[in-house]
Amino acid sequence: MGSSTGDLVTRVQSAHRFDHDALFRFAADNVSGFPTNPSQFTVSQFGHGQSNPTFLIEVGSGSSLKRYVLRKKPPGKLLQSAHAVDREFQVLKALGEHTQVPVPKVFCLCTDPTVIGTAFYIMEFMEGRIFIDPKLPNVAPGRRSAIYRATAKALASLHSADVDTIGLEKYGRRASYCQRQIDRWFKQYLASTSEGKPERNPKMSELVDWLRKSIPPEDSTGATSGLVHGDFRIDNLVFHPSEDRVIGIIDWELSTLGNQMCDVAYSCMHYIVNVQLDKEHVSEGLETSGLPEGMLSLPEFLLEYCSASGKPWPAANWKFYVAFSMFRAASIYTGVYNRWLMGNASAGERARNTGTQANELIEAALSYIARENVLPQHPPSVKRDVSTPYESIVDGSGRFVPNRKVLELRKKLIKFMETHIYPMESEFSKLAQSDLRWTVHPEEEKLKEMAKREGLWNLFIPVDSAARARRELAAIGNKNDSSGRFSDQLFGEGLTNLEYGYLCEIMGRSVWAPQVFNCGAPDTGNMEVILRYGNKEQISEWLIPLLEGKIRSGFAMTEPQVASSDATNIECSITRQGDSYIINGTKWWTSGAMDPRCRVLILMGKTDFNAPRHKQQSMILVDMRTPGIHVKRPLTVFGFDDAPHGHAEISFDNVIVPAKNILLGEGRGFEIAQGRLGPGRLHHCMRLIGAAERGMELMAQRALNRKTFGKFIAQHGSFVSDLAKLRVELEGTRLLVLEAADHLDKFGNKKARGILAMAKVAAPNTALKVLDTAIQVHGAAGVSSDTVLAHLWATARTLRIADGPDEVHLGTIGKLELQRASKL
């Protein structure tokens, strides 16, 4: 199961005590948001790890308690260049501000030793899990491979950081890393075993001689250079509290620039030797002792890393890198043992065995060198599980089997989600719950640019709408681009609604994802309206910036005074006056209007209260900056305000809008609405399938990992039965949604209205069943913000109203059934 990060603390060791009052004063002055008048301020020490002492700070009053982590140099005389906390702070700050490498946020660095005795820095506390034993005991077999894949991806993410663009270009020398490291650590070893310190092992010189003669040519050229963690292993990773993904890489003391294959080999040490502080001796690694059920083998782990990082298979020099890792570990353990003898080892009494273990690591390295074969010459072929049946079909045939183009887009989209979206969810959520909730996270804009470059932009745009808009753009001329590539990028991949369904589902797995690909509501529906019904001027002024992702939009229809599910009830007036329209009324649940990027609303109101019932309404484009528009308040959905997107209540007091902003003409609001209610509203159903799939995934993971009454939840017959029923219902709903999309493509909105209504009833109700069961399996965690389940559930429940009430859709379905029967 892994240890909770908050459970790894003990009382501060006597050798590491410092002035808590001085620390409090410094933190209050230098950490933004640090409580200044708390009733509680406690410091405890993390017992895990054996390098720089690390402490948990808890400060606050009552239930309002904040947690921070402090990391400092050990006290006493230290080896030269060791324990450089300022370098740790530098690399964490650069990665945290400029990349998506999962690291804790750092707040401040103190290099003044008079404050608490040594230099230190303060960073965020990450609530999660740490797996101290690489064999992952008490973890369900089905989750072990997922944890190891996440580990490989985290390492690949770290190694993909472009140091030249994030301010780390001078963080170390890139070439001849291994040569310098061998010299450095051998020097440290000699220093730790001199002058009556631990006895020196003569075989260390033999090992060093072999290493110096065997350094791979790629090391001197810097071909494998980049950012190096230096101590990358599974117990230096913080995993999400319930999901099998890395949220934080910690312990950066040995980081620098250099040969990244050293990181890879060090991360694989447990496959070859088993070293644990609480054990007296080094024992056989997993390759020899046997892999626990579900664990990736060493070649499989390396394949995951190479696939994620784009690095070549490392067979040629693998023996050197592993032997180097054992040599370095032996040097480090000798230093730890030396500090234990002096009484200032961070690991306390657990470090008493490190001297013996250091000598055994030297022996193990020499034995490994003597082995003839250490790694297959070629990577293994790995068969992957697939999440849906059609992924295993390669010929692209079949009614609801996506073609090759869609399958390729889907693979790219899944990779983008795993690499970029899921790791950022917690960061987006933190901002959305902070005092800056109505601002946009800078990483969101960076991700949008990446999505554009990868061809994952505006995928929702139907083929026919895109063709019309291209003609309009060609007619008016596009001042932004003379090559034609601009408009090609803007209008997606030319997908049908059915084809888009397979992709929209993937985006629906995260509440944050759709907007990154410019495929979020209500923008998609609004862009479709302008694509289908806008004139050349409206397309130029509003559609282009929306397609580019430079602005966002809102849809203002629902009103607080009337039942707006019957749109004929709306009372907001749009009155013609010369070359303008005057708008008066109040709208609420105007989703998107709170977003600081929102620049335009599509408003539905009445231009003629005396016209026939369905000819009274019109739609008009309203610039959000127009005088008379007052955003009264953001509204919450089951407690979520969905910042920075938001749902606003807005009053319109004599708002003057140019007459040219009317869409299609007066009295044609219902006509536009019926067109908009097709593709744009079916997108909600598509996304709900993805939300339900993520619920299924999280539920199954939890059931495989959590025990009740002496056995895993997955071993309870009632759960297995419920899970199976949910899978059956979810697959049926997916087919119904795809069928609706297919009808929409073939027959249009009007003829497809029956099956569209069925999809709109089935999708949210099925998603709710799945997510409700997933929440139940997660217990208290399910209703918290520690998982995405509560937010996904709230969204699904809301769509039973926002996407048209169930009762309206059921009425449509029932009437069509009666019409069909009357014709028999």
Side-chain angles (χ1 to χ4, degrees):
M1 291 176 59
S3 301
S4 173
T5 47
D7 294 338
L8 293 173
V9 294
T10 60
R11 287 188 297 179
V12 177
Q13 299 171 26
S14 58
H16 296 147
R17 290 174 184 162
F18 53 81
D19 187 341
H20 290 188
D21 291 337
L23 171 63
F24 176 81
R25 290 192 297 271
F26 181 88
D29 290 340
N30 293 277
V31 178
S32 177
F34 195 88
T36 54
N37 294 296
S39 60
Q40 177 183 344
F41 179 74
T42 59
V43 179
S44 49
Q45 186 169 1
F46 285 97
H48 178 59
Q50 64 272 5
S51 186
N52 289 328
T54 309
F55 305 84
L56 174 64
I57 302 170
E58 297 180 292
V59 58
S61 302
S63 60
S64 178
L65 197 66
K66 290 188 175 183
R67 289 175 162 185
Y68 303 88
V69 172
L70 178 145
R71 192 160 160 88
K72 67 187 290 290
K73 283 189 175 186
K77 185 178 180 181
L78 304 173
L79 294 173
Q80 187 178 5
S81 78
H83 310 284
V85 293
D86 55 326
R87 283 177 58 81
E88 289 188 38
F89 181 84
Q90 180 187 359
V91 70
L92 286 169
K93 191 174 192 311
L95 292 173
E97 292 181 354
H98 303 296
T99 77
Q100 293 169 39
V101 179
V103 293
K105 179 181 179 180
V106 291
F107 298 112
C108 62
L109 169 69
C110 177
T111 56
D112 181 1
T114 64
V115 178
I116 63 170
T118 66
F120 68 93
Y121 66 91
I122 299 174
M123 59 182 165
E124 71 170 318
F125 170 78
M126 306 189 89
E127 185 66 62
R129 297 170 294 159
I130 291 181
F131 297 99
I132 297 175
D133 189 339
K135 291 185 288 188
L136 305 182
N138 301 318
V139 173
R143 299 190 72 174
R144 287 175 178 146
S145 62
I147 290 168
Y148 268 69
R149 288 193 175 99
T151 300
K153 288 177 181 177
L155 182 57
S157 171
L158 185 165
H159 285 173
S160 299
D162 186 347
V163 295
D164 293 316
T165 62
I166 64 174
L168 293 177
E169 66 277 5
K170 297 181 180 179
Y171 195 60
R173 287 191 293 164
R174 307 185 198 200
S176 302
Y177 170 80
C178 292
Q179 178 65 61
R180 289 183 282 106
Q181 284 283 299
I182 292 169
D183 293 343
R184 174 193 174 185
W185 288 109
F186 190 45
K187 183 178 179 180
Q188 299 279 47
Y189 178 81
L190 294 176
S192 296
T193 57
S194 62
E195 301 176 358
K197 294 173 182 175
E199 184 178 352
R200 188 172 300 165
N201 188 336
K203 290 188 177 181
M204 183 61 130
S205 296
E206 179 185 345
L207 175 57
V208 169
D209 288 342
W210 182 90
L211 289 170
R212 284 173 171 163
K213 294 174 184 177
S214 307
I215 296 174
E218 62 193 30
D219 185 70
S220 60
T221 64
T224 53
S225 69
L227 181 61
V228 174
H229 180 272
D231 195 16
F232 191 92
R233 56 181 196 257
I234 198 167
D235 59 328
N236 274 335
L237 304 178
V238 180
F239 283 76
H240 186 275
S242 60
E243 301 177 25
D244 295 330
R245 57 183 175 87
V246 177
I247 61 173
I249 304 172
I250 57 177
D251 200 349
W252 290 79
E253 182 195 347
L254 301 178
S255 61
T256 186
L257 303 186
N259 191 327
Q260 294 179 327
M261 287 310 301
C262 295
D263 261 357
V264 180
Y266 194 72
S267 72
C268 295
M269 282 268 287
H270 57 281
Y271 284 105
I272 301 146
V273 290
N274 180 23
V275 187
Q276 296 183 47
L277 279 181
D278 54 355
K279 302 294 183 183
E280 186 175 350
H281 297 285
V282 172
S283 57
E284 295 176 335
L286 299 181
E287 276 192 323
T288 306
S289 63
L291 290 171
E293 184 182 354
M295 186 79 71
L296 295 184
S297 67
L298 172 58
E300 288 172 338
F301 177 81
L302 286 176
L303 178 61
E304 288 289 332
Y305 167 79
C306 291
S307 298
S309 64
K311 298 287 178 67
W313 185 246
N317 299 303
W318 187 246
K319 184 181 289 186
F320 168 83
Y321 289 119
V322 171
F324 169 81
S325 295
M326 292 187 192
F327 151 74
R328 199 190 62 166
S331 299
I332 292 171
Y333 270 45
T334 302
V336 172
Y337 185 59
N338 184 36
R339 291 200 301 276
W340 179 77
L341 291 176
M342 293 188 295
N344 67 345
S346 299
E349 282 303 301
R350 294 192 307 138
R352 67 165 52 246
N353 301 317
T354 51
T356 299
Q357 291 174 332
N359 288 323
E360 291 173 344
L361 280 167
I362 296 170
E363 295 284 351
L366 292 171
S367 297
Y368 194 78
I369 290 169
R371 287 172 58 177
E372 185 173 349
N373 298 311
V374 294
L375 192 68
Q377 290 301 307
H378 303 286
S381 298
V382 178
K383 292 183 178 179
R384 303 270 189 153
D385 292 335
V386 293
S387 60
T388 49
Y390 51 74
E391 286 184 316
S392 63
I393 299 174
V394 296
D395 64 358
S397 62
R399 186 175 180 189
F400 291 132
V401 177
N403 56 41
R404 289 181 182 275
K405 176 183 178 180
V406 174
L407 282 174
E408 287 304 312
L409 284 170
R410 191 172 183 275
K411 288 177 183 177
K412 286 175 64 177
L413 192 58
I414 290 172
K415 183 177 180 180
F416 195 101
M417 294 281 290
E418 291 177 345
T419 306
H420 304 298
I421 301 294
Y422 300 141
M424 282 299 298
E425 283 183 322
S426 61
E427 289 301 312
F428 290 149
S429 182
K430 284 179 186 176
L431 180 64
Q433 297 175 46
S434 73
D435 293 338
L436 300 174
R437 56 164 44 86
W438 301 112
T439 63
V440 180
H441 199 292
E443 286 300 319
E444 181 183 323
E445 296 304 315
K446 293 179 184 178
L447 289 178
K448 286 163 70 174
E449 292 304 314
M450 291 175 62
K452 288 180 186 178
R453 289 195 298 269
E454 294 193 23
L456 299 174
W457 188 254
N458 288 342
L459 296 172
F460 73 94
I461 300 177
V463 178
D464 57 340
S465 296
R468 177 182 183 272
R470 282 191 176 96
R471 290 194 299 270
E472 295 287 355
L473 281 178
I476 63 177
N478 187 5
K479 62 183 178 181
N480 296 308
D481 181 61
S482 59
S483 65
R485 288 176 296 179
F486 176 82
S487 57
D488 286 340
Q489 181 194 53
L490 288 189
F491 296 110
E493 293 292 321
L495 304 177
T496 64
N497 287 292
L498 175 60
E499 289 171 333
Y500 177 61
Y502 301 106
L503 308 177
C504 190
E505 172 186 329
I506 303 302
M507 299 179 205
R509 293 171 61 88
S510 169
V511 293
W512 306 100
Q515 61 205 35
V516 170
F517 305 103
N518 215 34
C519 292
D523 293 323
T524 52
N526 289 342
M527 284 189 273
E528 280 183 21
V529 166
I530 306 175
L531 276 165
R532 290 171 181 265
Y533 307 110
N535 59 37
K536 294 174 184 178
E537 190 172 356
Q538 292 163 349
I539 288 173
S540 179
E541 183 175 1
W542 298 113
L543 179 60
I544 296 303
L546 282 168
L547 289 170
E548 291 176 311
K550 293 181 178 178
I551 65 171
R552 297 203 66 182
S553 63
F555 185 71
M557 188 190 82
T558 307
E559 298 178 3
Q561 306 96 328
V562 297
S564 304
S565 56
D566 177 359
T568 61
N569 286 335
I570 63 172
E571 298 175 342
C572 180
S573 65
I574 306 174
T575 306
R576 183 69 182 255
Q577 190 175 91
D579 293 332
S580 302
Y581 283 100
I582 312 299
I583 302 174
N584 283 284
T586 299
K587 298 287 186 180
W588 70 346
W589 301 109
T590 305
S591 297
M594 297 297 302
D595 195 305
R597 298 161 296 183
C598 184
R599 285 292 177 269
V600 63
L601 302 177
I602 296 181
L603 179 139
M604 189 165 179
K606 289 186 176 179
T607 45
D608 187 349
F609 284 77
N610 297 315
R613 191 179 181 198
H614 291 90
K615 294 292 183 179
Q616 298 177 4
Q617 299 79 14
S618 301
M619 288 193 186
I620 191 167
L621 295 162
V622 183
D623 190 323
M624 274 290 288
R625 296 165 293 187
T626 308
I629 295 178
H630 304 288
V631 178
K632 298 172 70 173
R633 57 170 176 152
L635 303 170
T636 59
V637 180
F638 292 103
F640 294 99
D641 60 17
D642 292 325
H645 182 62
H647 315 280
E649 180 176 358
I650 307 176
S651 65
F652 297 83
D653 299 323
N654 293 316
V655 175
I656 303 174
V657 178
K660 65 180 183 179
N661 284 21
I662 200 81
L663 282 163
L664 207 56
E666 289 189 16
R668 303 186 72 176
F670 255 89
E671 179 183 344
I672 297 172
Q674 292 307 305
R676 185 182 187 276
L677 289 177
R681 286 297 180 88
L682 188 59
H683 296 171
H684 283 314
C685 300
M686 297 169 177
R687 283 188 286 265
L688 284 167
I689 299 300
E693 279 292 352
R694 191 160 188 202
M696 292 287 287
E697 178 184 297
L698 294 177
M699 176 179 10
Q701 288 178 352
R702 181 78 164 188
L704 288 167
N705 189 54
R706 201 77 163 181
K707 284 186 175 181
T708 60
F709 305 104
K711 58 183 179 180
F712 290 110
I713 295 174
Q715 294 174 320
H716 289 274
S718 59
F719 169 78
V720 174
S721 177
D722 289 343
L723 188 68
K725 291 175 183 177
L726 290 171
R727 171 52 66 191
V728 171
E729 188 164 351
L730 179 52
E731 291 304 323
T733 304
R734 174 187 280 112
L735 288 174
L736 181 60
V737 172
L738 294 176
E739 177 88 7
D742 192 41
H743 276 233
L744 197 57
D745 290 326
K746 292 177 178 176
F747 309 117
N749 296 343
K750 186 174 182 179
K751 290 186 177 180
R753 67 187 186 280
I755 195 164
L756 287 170
M758 294 181 216
K760 290 175 185 179
V761 171
N765 281 282
T766 297
L768 282 170
K769 285 184 183 179
V770 172
L771 293 167
D772 185 72
T773 307
I775 288 170
Q776 196 71 12
V777 170
H778 279 73
V783 297
S784 75
S785 59
D786 285 355
T787 74
V788 298
L789 293 172
H791 205 163
L792 291 175
W793 184 93
T795 301
R797 181 60 186 86
T798 304
L799 287 176
R800 289 186 58 208
I801 299 171
D803 203 15
D806 284 2
E807 292 76 9
V808 172
H809 299 314
L810 290 169
T812 298
I813 298 165
K815 289 174 184 176
L816 289 172
E817 282 297 309
L818 292 173
Q819 288 176 14
R820 189 177 297 112
S822 66
K823 295 176 182 178
L824 295 177

